[in-house]
Amino acid sequence: FQSLAGVRDAVSGYAGGTTNNPTYEKVATGQTGHAETVQVHYDPSKISYEKLVKAFFASQDPTTINRQGHDEGTEYRSIAFYNNIQEKQVIDTIIKQLTASKIYSNKIVTEVVPLKIFYEAEAYHQEYISHNGDNPYVSNVSIPDFEHFKSTFKEGNFKP
């Protein structure tokens, strides 16, 4: 998200579970109910909520339950949080559009739920890719995934 013009910040964190003040180690057990999430701060005069939701779907696989690429577990489920009914309607509309377009061969299973509380992840998770470029997971998975997103998300107005 942070690569899109109009996005001021994308904060890594956890949401959707029942454990208060979760840590990465607790979330990774799959016992907290939380998913790894991103809280996006943006300027609506430069990028719309609709475009952010489209970027969300373009940047991950919304058809797999409890899995994103090589990562598996409830903390990796596809989940979209909303703050109000208008945001929910945008998410639901885009899911309907994607389903009708048959872009995905499998059913979209993204959970659409109200955001109750967002917990910011530990400092070492923030800007993780830029601080850990030599990490094998980053260089072999994260960066290729981002490059694929950047090349396929045609609606993206990317920062230089």
Side-chain angles (χ1 to χ4, degrees), residues 127-140:
E127 312 291 336
Y128 191 84
I129 292 173
S130 62
H131 295 300
N132 296 279
D134 58 345
N135 177 298
Y137 187 89
V138 169
S139 58
N140 294 319

Side-chain angles (χ1 to χ4, degrees), residues 58-125:
S59 66
Q60 49 101 29
D61 185 350
T63 69
T64 55
I65 296 175
N66 300 332
R67 169 180 224 100
Q68 288 301 313
H70 302 284
D71 299 317
E72 188 172 358
T74 57
E75 65 273 25
Y76 299 110
R77 67 191 183 274
S78 178
I79 187 167
F81 296 98
Y82 60 88
N83 291 302
N84 56 54
I85 194 66
Q86 292 81 13
E87 289 180 355
K88 181 182 186 319
Q89 289 170 338
V90 169
I91 297 166
D92 289 342
T93 297
I94 291 171
I95 289 173
K96 287 177 187 166
Q97 290 170 349
L98 291 169
T99 300
S101 72
K102 301 186 188 294
I103 289 175
Y104 303 104
S105 55
N106 295 319
K107 181 181 181 204
I108 293 174
V109 296
T110 301
E111 293 177 35
V112 180
V113 296
L115 178 65
K116 293 180 182 171
I117 188 166
F118 172 84
Y119 294 98
E120 188 171 320
E122 299 80 357
Y124 70 92
H125 283 289

Side-chain angles (χ1 to χ4, degrees), residues 35-49:
E36 291 187 9
T37 61
V38 177
Q39 185 177 63
V40 180
H41 301 275
Y42 67 102
D43 180 344
S45 70
K46 295 182 180 173
I47 188 167
S48 68
Y49 182 77

